[in-house]
Amino acid sequence: MTSISLSVNGKSVSGDVEGRTLLSAFLRENLQLTGTHIGCDTSQCGACVVHVDGQAIKACTMLAAEADGADVRTIEGMENADGSLGVIQQAFQDHHGLQCGFCTPGMVMSAAALLKDNPNPTEGEIREYLEGNLCRCTGYHNIVKAIMAASGQDVSKIAAE
Amino acid sequence: MHNFDFAKPATIADAVAALQGDEAQPLGGGQTLIPTMKQRLAAPEVLVSLTHIPDMQGVCTNDAGQLCIGGATTHATVAREAASSFPGLAHLAAHIGDPAVRNRGTIGGSLANNDPSACYPAAALGTGATICTNLREITADDYFQGMFDTALDEGEIITEVRLPIPQAAHYEKFVQPASRFALTGVFVAKYQDHVRVAVTGASENGVFRWADAEAALSQSFASDAVADLSVDPDHMIHDLHASKEYRANLVKVGTMRSVKKAK
């Protein structure tokens, strides 16, 4: 076992992990932060995307021990200080950017990473950035629309509802 | 995944020392190795992380006109930091996997694994790069030795990759959309007195140089120069995604497109 200490959503946490413990398992099982979803566990689907030191990564394909000392942000850290939904989360609700919701935590975390680097993305840039996030319900249109709306752009001309 | 001891050295010397055991294995970004271990296709007893070694991070240029990339530098960093000095390489790095994979995966990890469909081997061979390890410097022509096979010895790690910066280059990748690896990818690099063409994703022997195209393009750097050439489909990869004949044709198409797009 290795002892690790890191910051998760602004709070200092620590725990003992095996070498093989994945960051996704540490978040879900040690910290009970079950908003980070395990969709495929093969780094294909992106449901487990979290931010490590500000960068989007797949938590199912990073060892918890690698995150020792890191600053981690999960979907639970995306709400506003008063507990209301953050801008991207609210946009997903307003624009029906989810159906079953399983992929949504990863979608929101990827969207946040995109908007940090590119505050005004085109529809094409959003679609390309979401290459590693799979959704089997929506057909992506409303996810793309929600992210455009969250960036403050006019989405009235995007056709699909 | 079987359990293992985890080491996180901060220097190359400590990493080399930690790799001395029989069943020790280096870990780059883990974007291939961790899924492989989950499937129990690899089960090291000690895993030595190379991503916390400052001497193996970063991108710079040297006086010899080479782009020097630390072995543990992520694809995202190369995409960002090579954009002005070597746009063809930045483009390649920016299209590996997906954004989250690019934030973890490293150039050293990609080259050490030498997946026959990986992107970086095409850039290393297509520029005639030098692969620097803790022990020696290996030219790309000697480094790649077949599918998943390289000149690296046990416990030897890639500390830096030096790529001669070309006058113009492009990597044309025909994506296998499920894996986002290259179904076939062609890297073309134009230097003052020669052209190199390296192909990934196509051959059963891994990345290779297309000598006929190099000769033709060295005479005339125009896509028409390879229009009458063809690639022998023997020993090409033949699977449910594409036949060997299809891949052989993609080599030519990718070469022509790379020449047109080279910058």
PDB file of all heavy atoms in Angstrom, chain B residues 157-171:
ATOM      1  N   ILE B 157      15.467   3.111 -21.018  1.00  0.00           N
ATOM      2  CA  ILE B 157      14.336   4.035 -21.173  1.00  0.00           C
ATOM      3  C   ILE B 157      14.686   5.176 -22.127  1.00  0.00           C
ATOM      4  O   ILE B 157      15.844   5.605 -22.215  1.00  0.00           O
ATOM      5  CB  ILE B 157      13.874   4.608 -19.809  1.00  0.00           C
ATOM      6  CG1 ILE B 157      15.017   5.287 -19.072  1.00  0.00           C
ATOM      7  CG2 ILE B 157      13.252   3.521 -18.964  1.00  0.00           C
ATOM      8  CD1 ILE B 157      14.590   5.901 -17.747  1.00  0.00           C
ATOM      9  N   ILE B 158      13.674   5.632 -22.839  1.00  0.00           N
ATOM     10  CA  ILE B 158      13.843   6.742 -23.781  1.00  0.00           C
ATOM     11  C   ILE B 158      13.801   8.043 -22.985  1.00  0.00           C
ATOM     12  O   ILE B 158      12.783   8.387 -22.394  1.00  0.00           O
ATOM     13  CB  ILE B 158      12.741   6.730 -24.851  1.00  0.00           C
ATOM     14  CG1 ILE B 158      12.822   5.443 -25.680  1.00  0.00           C
ATOM     15  CG2 ILE B 158      12.838   7.965 -25.744  1.00  0.00           C
ATOM     16  CD1 ILE B 158      11.661   5.248 -26.638  1.00  0.00           C
ATOM     17  N   THR B 159      14.909   8.741 -22.966  1.00  0.00           N
ATOM     18  CA  THR B 159      14.975   9.985 -22.195  1.00  0.00           C
ATOM     19  C   THR B 159      14.652  11.196 -23.059  1.00  0.00           C
ATOM     20  O   THR B 159      14.149  12.199 -22.562  1.00  0.00           O
ATOM     21  CB  THR B 159      16.371  10.156 -21.574  1.00  0.00           C
ATOM     22  OG1 THR B 159      17.348  10.058 -22.616  1.00  0.00           O
ATOM     23  CG2 THR B 159      16.628   9.079 -20.534  1.00  0.00           C
ATOM     24  N   GLU B 160      14.961  11.104 -24.355  1.00  0.00           N
ATOM     25  CA  GLU B 160      14.743  12.250 -25.251  1.00  0.00           C
ATOM     26  C   GLU B 160      14.642  11.757 -26.681  1.00  0.00           C
ATOM     27  O   GLU B 160      15.232  10.732 -27.031  1.00  0.00           O
ATOM     28  CB  GLU B 160      15.912  13.245 -25.120  1.00  0.00           C
ATOM     29  CG  GLU B 160      15.725  14.535 -25.897  1.00  0.00           C
ATOM     30  CD  GLU B 160      16.885  15.515 -25.675  1.00  0.00           C
ATOM     31  OE1 GLU B 160      17.958  15.327 -26.270  1.00  0.00           O
ATOM     32  OE2 GLU B 160      16.699  16.456 -24.890  1.00  0.00           O
ATOM     33  N   VAL B 161      13.881  12.481 -27.490  1.00  0.00           N
ATOM     34  CA  VAL B 161      13.805  12.199 -28.921  1.00  0.00           C
ATOM     35  C   VAL B 161      14.189  13.482 -29.647  1.00  0.00           C
ATOM     36  O   VAL B 161      13.648  14.554 -29.344  1.00  0.00           O
ATOM     37  CB  VAL B 161      12.380  11.761 -29.324  1.00  0.00           C
ATOM     38  CG1 VAL B 161      12.338  11.382 -30.800  1.00  0.00           C
ATOM     39  CG2 VAL B 161      11.906  10.604 -28.455  1.00  0.00           C
ATOM     40  N   ARG B 162      15.146  13.371 -30.585  1.00  0.00           N
ATOM     41  CA  ARG B 162      15.596  14.553 -31.346  1.00  0.00           C
ATOM     42  C   ARG B 162      15.195  14.384 -32.803  1.00  0.00           C
ATOM     43  O   ARG B 162      15.656  13.454 -33.468  1.00  0.00           O
ATOM     44  CB  ARG B 162      17.113  14.710 -31.244  1.00  0.00           C
ATOM     45  CG  ARG B 162      17.581  14.977 -29.823  1.00  0.00           C
ATOM     46  CD  ARG B 162      19.080  15.255 -29.778  1.00  0.00           C
ATOM     47  NE  ARG B 162      19.554  15.151 -28.397  1.00  0.00           N
ATOM     48  CZ  ARG B 162      20.707  14.595 -28.030  1.00  0.00           C
ATOM     49  NH1 ARG B 162      21.515  14.090 -28.943  1.00  0.00           N
ATOM     50  NH2 ARG B 162      21.056  14.536 -26.764  1.00  0.00           N
ATOM     51  N   LEU B 163      14.341  15.287 -33.272  1.00  0.00           N
ATOM     52  CA  LEU B 163      13.840  15.181 -34.640  1.00  0.00           C
ATOM     53  C   LEU B 163      14.378  16.344 -35.472  1.00  0.00           C
ATOM     54  O   LEU B 163      14.116  17.508 -35.128  1.00  0.00           O
ATOM     55  CB  LEU B 163      12.311  15.218 -34.659  1.00  0.00           C
ATOM     56  CG  LEU B 163      11.576  14.187 -33.793  1.00  0.00           C
ATOM     57  CD1 LEU B 163      11.167  14.798 -32.466  1.00  0.00           C
ATOM     58  CD2 LEU B 163      10.350  13.649 -34.517  1.00  0.00           C
ATOM     59  N   PRO B 164      15.125  16.044 -36.558  1.00  0.00           N
ATOM     60  CA  PRO B 164      15.567  17.121 -37.451  1.00  0.00           C
ATOM     61  C   PRO B 164      14.348  17.850 -38.015  1.00  0.00           C
ATOM     62  O   PRO B 164      13.447  17.223 -38.571  1.00  0.00           O
ATOM     63  CB  PRO B 164      16.328  16.379 -38.553  1.00  0.00           C
ATOM     64  CG  PRO B 164      16.731  15.067 -37.930  1.00  0.00           C
ATOM     65  CD  PRO B 164      15.626  14.730 -36.969  1.00  0.00           C
ATOM     66  N   ILE B 165      14.328  19.174 -37.854  1.00  0.00           N
ATOM     67  CA  ILE B 165      13.163  19.942 -38.294  1.00  0.00           C
ATOM     68  C   ILE B 165      13.227  20.113 -39.813  1.00  0.00           C
ATOM     69  O   ILE B 165      14.208  20.637 -40.335  1.00  0.00           O
ATOM     70  CB  ILE B 165      13.118  21.318 -37.594  1.00  0.00           C
ATOM     71  CG1 ILE B 165      13.010  21.115 -36.073  1.00  0.00           C
ATOM     72  CG2 ILE B 165      11.954  22.148 -38.118  1.00  0.00           C
ATOM     73  CD1 ILE B 165      13.132  22.398 -35.278  1.00  0.00           C
ATOM     74  N   PRO B 166      12.212  19.641 -40.530  1.00  0.00           N
ATOM     75  CA  PRO B 166      12.229  19.727 -41.998  1.00  0.00           C
ATOM     76  C   PRO B 166      11.804  21.112 -42.485  1.00  0.00           C
ATOM     77  O   PRO B 166      11.302  21.938 -41.729  1.00  0.00           O
ATOM     78  CB  PRO B 166      11.223  18.662 -42.418  1.00  0.00           C
ATOM     79  CG  PRO B 166      10.287  18.541 -41.263  1.00  0.00           C
ATOM     80  CD  PRO B 166      11.028  18.954 -40.023  1.00  0.00           C
ATOM     81  N   GLN B 167      12.001  21.327 -43.786  1.00  0.00           N
ATOM     82  CA  GLN B 167      11.491  22.561 -44.402  1.00  0.00           C
ATOM     83  C   GLN B 167       9.971  22.549 -44.432  1.00  0.00           C
ATOM     84  O   GLN B 167       9.317  23.573 -44.274  1.00  0.00           O
ATOM     85  CB  GLN B 167      12.036  22.689 -45.835  1.00  0.00           C
ATOM     86  CG  GLN B 167      13.537  22.902 -45.893  1.00  0.00           C
ATOM     87  CD  GLN B 167      14.049  22.891 -47.321  1.00  0.00           C
ATOM     88  OE1 GLN B 167      13.439  22.307 -48.216  1.00  0.00           O
ATOM     89  NE2 GLN B 167      15.194  23.536 -47.533  1.00  0.00           N
ATOM     90  N   ALA B 168       9.427  21.374 -44.684  1.00  0.00           N
ATOM     91  CA  ALA B 168       7.971  21.205 -44.708  1.00  0.00           C
ATOM     92  C   ALA B 168       7.656  19.747 -44.400  1.00  0.00           C
ATOM     93  O   ALA B 168       8.436  18.853 -44.725  1.00  0.00           O
ATOM     94  CB  ALA B 168       7.406  21.576 -46.076  1.00  0.00           C
ATOM     95  N   ALA B 169       6.512  19.530 -43.761  1.00  0.00           N
ATOM     96  CA  ALA B 169       6.122  18.154 -43.435  1.00  0.00           C
ATOM     97  C   ALA B 169       4.618  18.097 -43.211  1.00  0.00           C
ATOM     98  O   ALA B 169       3.969  19.120 -42.932  1.00  0.00           O
ATOM     99  CB  ALA B 169       6.846  17.665 -42.180  1.00  0.00           C
ATOM    100  N   HIS B 170       4.081  16.904 -43.353  1.00  0.00           N
ATOM    101  CA  HIS B 170       2.678  16.675 -42.994  1.00  0.00           C
ATOM    102  C   HIS B 170       2.494  15.195 -42.679  1.00  0.00           C
ATOM    103  O   HIS B 170       3.183  14.340 -43.221  1.00  0.00           O
ATOM    104  CB  HIS B 170       1.736  17.077 -44.132  1.00  0.00           C
ATOM    105  CG  HIS B 170       0.277  16.936 -43.761  1.00  0.00           C
ATOM    106  ND1 HIS B 170      -0.361  17.821 -42.925  1.00  0.00           N
ATOM    107  CD2 HIS B 170      -0.639  15.987 -44.089  1.00  0.00           C
ATOM    108  CE1 HIS B 170      -1.622  17.426 -42.762  1.00  0.00           C
ATOM    109  NE2 HIS B 170      -1.812  16.328 -43.460  1.00  0.00           N
ATOM    110  N   TYR B 171       1.556  14.943 -41.783  1.00  0.00           N
ATOM    111  CA  TYR B 171       1.172  13.561 -41.453  1.00  0.00           C
ATOM    112  C   TYR B 171      -0.288  13.388 -41.823  1.00  0.00           C
ATOM    113  O   TYR B 171      -1.160  14.059 -41.255  1.00  0.00           O
ATOM    114  CB  TYR B 171       1.375  13.308 -39.965  1.00  0.00           C
ATOM    115  CG  TYR B 171       0.905  11.946 -39.489  1.00  0.00           C
ATOM    116  CD1 TYR B 171       1.507  10.772 -39.946  1.00  0.00           C
ATOM    117  CD2 TYR B 171      -0.142  11.833 -38.570  1.00  0.00           C
ATOM    118  CE1 TYR B 171       1.077   9.537 -39.494  1.00  0.00           C
ATOM    119  CE2 TYR B 171      -0.567  10.594 -38.107  1.00  0.00           C
ATOM    120  CZ  TYR B 171       0.048   9.452 -38.572  1.00  0.00           C
ATOM    121  OH  TYR B 171      -0.374   8.227 -38.127  1.00  0.00           O
TER     122      TYR B 171
END
